[in-house]
């Protein structure tokens, strides 16, 4: 079973890339048993949604020079 540190790392990785089937299963098992990590995930989802809906987000992105 994953540790909380490994689970939170996978949750963060899951925002950047699609997790493999084994990773998804391990994460689901951990989340089923760990309320702390479920709370962490809910907070990440909330912050992600808040950032997407932040007014002026598109204008800020357009003012940044391409890298």
């Amino acid at each position: 079973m994953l540790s909380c540190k490994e689970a939170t790392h996978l949750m963060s990785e899951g925002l950047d890339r699609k997790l493999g089937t084994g990773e998804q299963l391990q994460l689901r098992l951990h989340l089923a048993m760990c309320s702390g990590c479920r709370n962490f995930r809910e907070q990440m989802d909330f912050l992600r949604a808040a950032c997407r809906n932040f007014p002026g987000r598109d204008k800020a992105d357009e003012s940044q020079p391409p890298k």
Side-chain angles (χ1 to χ4, degrees):
M1 185 169 141
L2 294 175
S3 67
C4 292
K5 184 176 181 178
E6 293 167 329
T8 55
H9 179 75
L10 274 182
M11 285 186 258
S12 294
E13 289 263 328
L15 296 176
D16 297 330
R17 65 174 176 88
K18 182 171 175 53
L19 299 178
T21 304
E23 292 172 320
Q24 290 178 21
L25 288 174
Q26 288 182 325
L27 184 56
R28 285 183 188 172
L29 178 63
H30 183 88
L31 290 173
M33 299 171 59
C34 181
S35 62
C37 287
R38 283 194 306 271
N39 288 338
F40 177 79
R41 183 174 204 159
E42 288 173 10
Q43 290 172 354
M44 282 182 46
D45 291 344
F46 173 80
L47 289 172
R48 190 172 187 195
C51 288
R52 283 185 177 161
N53 295 324
F54 185 73
R57 178 178 168 255
D58 293 334
K59 290 179 183 176
D61 290 344
E62 292 172 0
S63 66
Q64 297 293 324
K67 295 180 181 178

